[in-house]
């Protein structure tokens, strides 16, 4: 009897998962799995920006990255046709040389606005190259919102100009704080 | 979210590592103390990098907050896709 159940267990493990990807996170997939997922209808790429920055003496530096990962997973699973690129763990969190913003505290990582813009844009370009039709850029963080919007805009015009296929590209602004005034203040504090 | 805090008599000027941020992480922790050090909450102030009142953070508020963000993102993505067709 034990032999039989072992045999069935092995059979189940070997059975290829045709219909579903095992995860919405691209990190968990092989390239043929990504290819097949896109061919099978996964048209939306989610690029979720976190941040590695001080969060006071009571909360860990990875906060934004953990929230980003959790929310990105829920959003992708509810959309049904989305995969999530690895969470970008860095954003604009102050000036490393003049020690402004969160750079006053050790453990914070800051990218210059130029570097951050370039990384976000290149992640987006990678998604377009892979064949995604929609690239949603989202942030769990105040700093870098302008750069994210700029990256989206640049990718949008490139995608349309190449005319290879219809591509829609939109920046999703930080949704955490609906109050516009607070968002501006938060962004100013992060520069 | 600000309205919710106000309704509960909680501070609303939570700009960094305050009630919003701390609650969001409390809701996601799988073991206590994994990501939020409750014994250090009394040290949280502007000098130590905090703009807000994280001592009022709760997992319940965090779930509300995280749900809101997910719902807003879904609404945004879906309406943008619909208008682009």
């Amino acid at each position: 009897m034990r032999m039989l159940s072992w045999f069935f267990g092995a059979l189940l493990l070997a059975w290829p998962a045709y219909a579903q990807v095992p995860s919405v996170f691209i990190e968990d997939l092989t390239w043929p799995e990504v290819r097949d997922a896109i061919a099978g209808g996964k048209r939306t790429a989610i690029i979720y920006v976190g941040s590695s920055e001080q969060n006071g003496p009571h909360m860990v530096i990875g906060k934004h990255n953990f929230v980003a990962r959790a929310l990105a997973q829920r959003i992708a699973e509810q959309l049904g046709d989305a995969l999530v690129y690895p969470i970008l763990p860095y954003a604009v969190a102050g000036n490393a040389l003049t020690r402004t913003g969160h750079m006053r505290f050790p453990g914070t990582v800051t990218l210059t606005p130029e570097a951050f813009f370039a990384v976000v844009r290149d992640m987006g370009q990678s998604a377009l190259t892979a064949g995604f039709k929609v690239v949603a850029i989202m942030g769990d963080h105040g700093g870098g919102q302008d750069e994210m919007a700029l990256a989206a805009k640049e990718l949008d015009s490139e995608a349309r100009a190449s005319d290879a296929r219809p591509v829609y590209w939109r920046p999703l602004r930080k949704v955490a704080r609906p109050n516009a005034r607070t968002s501006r203040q938060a962004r100013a504090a992060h520069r | 979210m600000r309205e919710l805090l106000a309704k509960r008599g909680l501070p609303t000027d939570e700009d960094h590592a305050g009630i919003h941020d701390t609650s969001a992480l409390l809701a996601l922790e799988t073991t206590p103390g994994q990501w939020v050090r409750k014994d250090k909450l009394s040290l949280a102030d502007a000098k130590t990098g905090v703009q807000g009142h994280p001592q009022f953070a709760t997992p319940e508020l965090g779930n509300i907050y995280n749900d809101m963000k997910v719902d807003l993102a879904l609404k945004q993505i879906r309406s943008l896709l619909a208008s682009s067709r």
Side-chain angles (χ1 to χ4, degrees), chain B residues 2 6 10-11 29 31 37-38 42-43 47 67 82-83:
Chain B
R2 189 165 288 260
L10 293 170
E29 271 187 334
T31 55
R37 319 285 196 234
K38 289 192 168 168
S42 55
L43 299 174
K47 277 198 293 287
D67 287 352
S83 64

Side-chain angles (χ1 to χ4, degrees), chain A residues 84-98:
Chain A
V84 183
Y85 272 87
I87 303 300
L88 177 55
Y90 307 124
V92 181
N95 186 303
L97 298 176
T98 62

Side-chain angles (χ1 to χ4, degrees), chain B residues 2-68:
Chain B
R2 189 165 288 260
E3 291 165 16
L4 175 63
L5 291 181
K7 232 185 272 184
R8 294 190 182 193
L10 293 170
T12 54
D13 55 338
E14 308 299 300
D15 275 344
H16 187 76
I19 299 178
H20 296 137
D21 292 343
T22 309
S23 297
L25 215 55
L26 280 174
L28 295 172
E29 271 187 334
T30 49
T31 55
Q34 178 187 12
W35 290 331
V36 179
R37 319 285 196 234
K38 289 192 168 168
D39 59 325
K40 298 289 192 280
L41 280 169
S42 55
L43 299 174
D45 60 28
K47 277 198 293 287
T48 58
V50 178
Q51 291 171 288
H53 307 83
Q55 66 269 30
F56 296 112
T58 66
E60 184 232 355
L61 281 170
N63 281 319
I64 295 173
Y65 195 44
N66 290 334
D67 287 352
M68 251 183 59

